Amino acid sequence: MKNLTQIQFKELLSTSDAPCISLYLPTHRHHPDNLRDPITFRNLVRDAEVSLADKYDVKDHRNLFEPFKALANDREFWNHRTEGLAILGSSATFQVFDLQKPVQELAIVADSFHIKPLIRVMQATDRYQVLGLNRHEARLYEGNQDALDEIELADGVSQNIEEALGKELTEPHLTSASYGGAGRPGSPHGVPAMHHGHGGKKDEVELDNEKFFRAIDRAILEHHSKPSGLPLLLAALPEHQALFRKVSHNPFLLDDGLEYDPPSISANRRRQEAWRAVEPQYLQRLENMADDFQEAQAKQLGSGDLSDIAKALIAGRVGTLMVESGRQIAGRVDSTTGKIEFGEIDHPEVDDLLDDLAELAIRMGGEVLVVPAERLGTKTGAAAIYRF
């Protein structure tokens, strides 16, 4: 699975290589439901082609849909999907992202990418990562309370000990010494040679393990933990748990881990065990956010009023915006004045007020968190904590 990092997300926000094509569709993990997915995708591609012809000169963008059509015919690709797909393409980029939550079918051609469906996926508070580790290899998984999938390691992250250590991978060093000759060329007595190892095999293995774990810790921190900001759960045998924690400098690493060898259990049990370990941290985080909002509101540094939030966003005052998961409010926000327009909207998937607020918060450098309704602390669908 290819995941979407916060850095990539913000880059997509600023991309303006028009025309930009944004396709979203729900997908399925298993046969026979997944047989419908490429058909749905081809229909969305055709919709996008019609939309492009209405808005732009087709002659100038003749090759824009080639990667989309190649993907439609990739049988292997469609056999391994999750709950949803986001496919974003322009003359400068073509990106495909698996989503662990379903999205509505959508095809939009515009001067910039349509990223609102990604906001709730990216900012969901139940997301986490799992580092599966043993002395031979490392695997990284990302998930939520409903799904856990292996993700592609970033360039620069080695998956196994041979790749990580290369020439630094140690080997037993043996030398021969003769005590009175050893059946070797030039030995006058024909006495067998005595072999002495400098550094026992166990010491060599432990040294390699420590080097490997240090390399993995640095790579995961720089290429995955920092870009995603997600809590990291370690799944490893007890002896590997102790060694990795001894050398780790990853502040996202959770104190409690899963004490098993990752390849030894099923994918479903791996998800169940991971969520059981992460859930207390998740619930505590929600409780802390609710407390922070109540305290900020008491000091006039927080609000659940949508109009007040919109104006504060324009002024750059919002540090944290919490949005109710699963809720949509038909409307839009003027990104220059902060004025809110309510009413019946032709495309509620596109013109959702809460998504407008979330996108505006991200553009202004604020943090967006998607939380369950019962944890939000307001009835309006949003709650903001101000910087000042």
Side-chain angles (χ1 to χ4, degrees), residues 106-334:
L106 196 60
I108 294 180
V109 179
D111 291 343
S112 60
F113 287 123
H114 178 70
I115 53 82
K116 288 180 183 177
L118 295 178
I119 291 175
R120 302 199 188 214
V121 174
M122 284 294 298
Q123 314 306 128
T125 49
D126 64 345
R127 295 172 64 223
Y128 62 94
Q129 292 184 338
V130 176
L131 175 61
L133 185 67
N134 58 37
R135 63 177 298 268
H136 300 292
E137 66 175 2
R139 294 180 180 274
L140 190 64
Y141 305 85
E142 186 170 308
N144 52 44
Q145 57 186 311
D146 301 313
L148 181 66
D149 297 287
E150 185 173 357
I151 62 175
E152 296 178 17
L153 292 174
D155 293 339
V157 182
S158 300
Q159 185 165 324
N160 57 60
I161 192 169
E162 289 82 7
E163 292 177 359
L165 301 189
K167 294 181 180 179
E168 293 184 25
L169 189 64
T170 59
E171 296 291 345
H173 300 291
L174 298 176
T175 60
S176 297
S178 171
Y179 293 89
R184 53 191 171 84
S187 170
H189 306 292
V191 180
M194 301 293 292
H195 293 272
H196 297 273
H198 295 276
K201 179 68 175 176
K202 183 178 180 181
D203 293 337
E204 300 282 1
V205 170
E206 290 179 352
L207 181 60
D208 282 347
N209 287 350
E210 183 169 333
K211 288 180 180 178
F212 177 46
F213 288 1
R214 286 185 188 276
I216 289 297
D217 181 61
R218 288 194 300 268
I220 294 296
L221 175 60
E222 292 302 317
H223 296 283
H224 290 281
S225 291
K226 284 183 179 179
S228 71
L230 297 178
L232 180 67
L233 185 67
L234 178 63
L237 293 174
E239 60 269 28
H240 297 150
Q241 290 268 353
L243 179 56
F244 185 81
R245 292 178 187 282
K246 174 185 173 183
V247 304
S248 177
H249 293 89
N250 191 329
F252 300 91
L253 182 64
L254 298 178
D255 292 336
D256 296 325
L258 300 172
E259 296 187 344
Y260 60 77
D261 189 26
S264 67
I265 67 172
S266 68
N268 187 52
R269 186 184 164 199
R270 187 160 51 234
R271 178 193 62 78
Q272 292 174 340
E273 295 285 343
W275 181 247
R276 188 177 295 117
V278 170
E279 187 177 21
Q281 312 282 339
Y282 163 70
L283 294 175
Q284 184 61 55
R285 186 185 184 197
L286 292 179
E287 185 176 332
N288 292 342
M289 287 190 299
D291 291 344
D292 290 344
F293 173 68
Q294 294 300 329
E295 183 179 346
Q297 193 174 35
K299 297 177 180 178
Q300 307 299 311
L301 289 174
S303 178
D305 183 275
L306 298 181
S307 295
D308 289 346
I309 292 173
K311 293 172 185 175
L313 283 168
I314 296 298
R317 294 182 59 203
V318 176
T320 301
L321 176 68
M322 291 176 280
V323 175
E324 181 180 328
S325 61
R327 183 172 177 181
Q328 289 184 319
I329 300 176
R332 59 169 64 94
V333 180
D334 188 310

Side-chain angles (χ1 to χ4, degrees), residues 8 13 22-23 45 58 63 73 133 160 241 247 257 266 335 388:
Q8 291 172 310
L13 271 174
S22 306
L23 302 185
V45 171
V58 177
N63 301 322
N73 295 320
L133 185 67
N160 57 60
Q241 290 268 353
V247 304
S266 68
S335 60
F388 55 88

